Amino acid sequence: MDTKRPILIVGSGSIGRRHLQNLQALGCKNFIFYRTGKSKLPDEMADIPVEYELGKALARKPIAMIVANPTSLHMAAALAAAEAGTHIFLEKPISHNLDGVEKLKHLVKKKGLVLQVGFHFRYHPGLKHVKRLLEENTIGRVVSTQAHWGEYLPDWHPGEDYREGYSAKAVLGGGVLLTLSHPFDYLRWLIGEVSSVSAIMGSNGGLGIEVEDSADVLLNFKSGAIGNVHIDYIQRPAEHNMRIIGQTGVILWDSSSGLVKWFAEGKWEEKTVPEGFERNRLFIDEMRHFLSCITTNAQSLCTIDDGIKALR
């Protein structure tokens, strides 16, 4: 990769800072930061050159843009990057609605750009093992799946007012459906395309926010399998797990431990995560893959089409 060209980071929240630190750990040293406000920057960003106009930042010809600003601002930044011929790492969900997504897809294809969507659970060793089990037909044809993710919003960023974060504000693309959208991607990745969807949503968690804080979503897959996804901002302690029921067995995955268990041919087996595994490894691996795609012109593991389908 051309190390003389900088990487442009859009967004100074926790995920923007994480990506910066991981890029630095991967050996990247040349950055630009685009921001619209002038509040004090976090210490790790204090020495990075700053532009306050996106056009000026793109005029410095960054090789890639990391789009990590609030969800409702994703598409404007990504479209500007694509117009400028800049590769894009686009945090999930790709936007708060479908406006502009087909234009972005067209530009990415026309200009031969790498666009990777930040659904980092695709890099989880447990879920990768689940995918192998399904590809090997370990539990037979998939009949149904359930994903459950509950996590108390005020605990996400201690010391910050959760009501001021993008996750809690409709104008910034918040709400539990968008913010905790990972299961909609990894279930598509594991089980296949979704043919229809319906949901009920609630806002009775007592958080004092203007967006939905809980949802139950029903999925019909084109394969004939059915699914249920429960997500909420309320549950304490946090819980994130998944179950896949097949005609001849079952697969269980737990996010907190990373453990995969499956029952097939009359017995239980299990697979643990590698020794020393921790959550940031998912973000490191997805960023390493993004940089590799730029260098080798390889296909992204999570494409603009994947982002559009998860959002839709």
Side-chain angles (χ1 to χ4, degrees):
M1 193 170 75
D2 184 357
T3 57
K4 294 181 180 178
R5 295 174 63 188
I7 295 173
L8 173 58
I9 297 179
V10 178
S12 61
S14 61
I15 190 62
R17 298 195 299 273
R18 182 188 292 272
H19 289 319
L20 169 65
Q21 292 164 358
N22 288 340
L23 285 163
Q24 290 171 329
L26 290 169
C28 299
K29 298 177 181 178
N30 193 358
F31 300 95
I32 308 169
F33 180 47
Y34 165 67
R35 62 187 313 221
T36 56
K38 296 189 178 182
S39 59
K40 186 178 183 297
L41 282 171
D43 290 343
E44 60 267 36
M45 291 181 163
D47 295 328
I48 297 176
V50 175
E51 291 287 357
Y52 293 93
E53 295 180 24
L54 187 55
K56 288 184 177 180
L58 289 168
R60 298 176 68 163
K61 300 190 180 303
I63 192 166
M65 175 191 281
I66 310 299
V67 181
N69 53 357
T71 300
S72 64
L73 306 179
H74 282 184
M75 197 50 51
L79 285 168
E83 292 278 9
T86 302
H87 300 297
I88 303 164
F89 182 93
L90 182 54
E91 262 305 330
K92 66 82 201 166
I94 60 170
S95 188
H96 62 307
N97 60 38
L98 292 167
D99 295 346
V101 299
E102 292 297 334
K103 181 179 179 181
L104 179 61
K105 177 180 174 180
H106 171 76
L107 285 169
V108 166
K109 182 177 180 180
K110 177 182 176 181
K111 302 204 174 196
L113 301 175
V114 174
L115 188 150
Q116 181 166 318
V117 180
F119 279 115
H120 60 262
F121 277 102
R122 290 194 180 214
Y123 296 85
H124 195 290
L127 288 181
K128 288 195 286 187
H129 190 70
V130 171
K131 189 167 181 64
R132 285 193 292 273
L133 291 172
L134 293 173
E135 289 170 346
E136 293 167 2
N137 201 36
T138 303
I139 61 167
R141 182 174 180 174
V142 173
V143 176
S144 66
T145 184
Q146 298 84 39
H148 179 105
W149 190 357
E151 191 168 351
Y152 189 50
L153 180 62
D155 287 345
W156 290 13
H157 303 293
E160 299 178 12
D161 185 346
Y162 69 89
R163 290 163 294 193
E164 297 302 315
Y166 82 92
S167 300
K169 288 184 171 292
V171 70
L172 296 180
V176 76
L177 277 169
L178 289 168
T179 307
L180 297 185
S181 55
H182 284 286
F184 304 121
D185 177 70
Y186 67 61
L187 289 178
R188 267 196 65 249
W189 179 55
L190 294 170
I191 297 173
E193 298 298 341
V194 173
S195 58
S196 65
V197 58
S198 60
I200 53 175
M201 299 180 293
S203 300
N204 62 349
L207 297 178
I209 57 177
E210 60 189 20
V211 293
E212 82 281 354
D213 56 33
S214 57
D216 274 279
V217 184
L218 295 177
L219 304 172
N220 282 305
F221 293 88
K222 289 184 178 179
S223 66
I226 60 174
N228 167 256
V229 176
H230 171 84
I231 43 181
D232 71 64
Y233 282 163
I234 310 303
Q235 185 173 339
R236 288 173 284 181
E239 180 184 6
H240 182 188
N241 52 50
M242 179 192 64
R243 176 189 308 264
I244 300 175
I245 299 170
Q247 290 181 339
T248 61
V250 63
I251 300 171
L252 310 176
W253 170 73
D254 181 73
S255 177
S256 62
S257 66
L259 180 68
V260 178
K261 295 178 63 177
W262 64 98
F263 183 84
E265 298 181 354
K267 63 180 180 179
W268 282 101
E269 296 186 66
E270 63 181 45
K271 175 82 170 178
T272 58
V273 294
E275 186 176 353
F277 173 80
E278 47 86 29
R279 179 171 173 262
N280 192 54
R281 177 55 52 187
L282 308 180
F283 298 94
I284 285 274
D285 287 349
E286 71 173 350
M287 197 56 66
R288 181 186 288 112
H289 181 68
F290 174 60
L291 298 177
S292 176
C293 287
I294 293 173
T295 303
T296 65
N297 294 319
Q299 174 75 1
S300 170
L301 183 60
C302 193
T303 67
I304 180 63
D305 277 325
D306 292 315
I308 291 171
K309 288 174 180 177
L311 180 60
R312 184 172 285 138

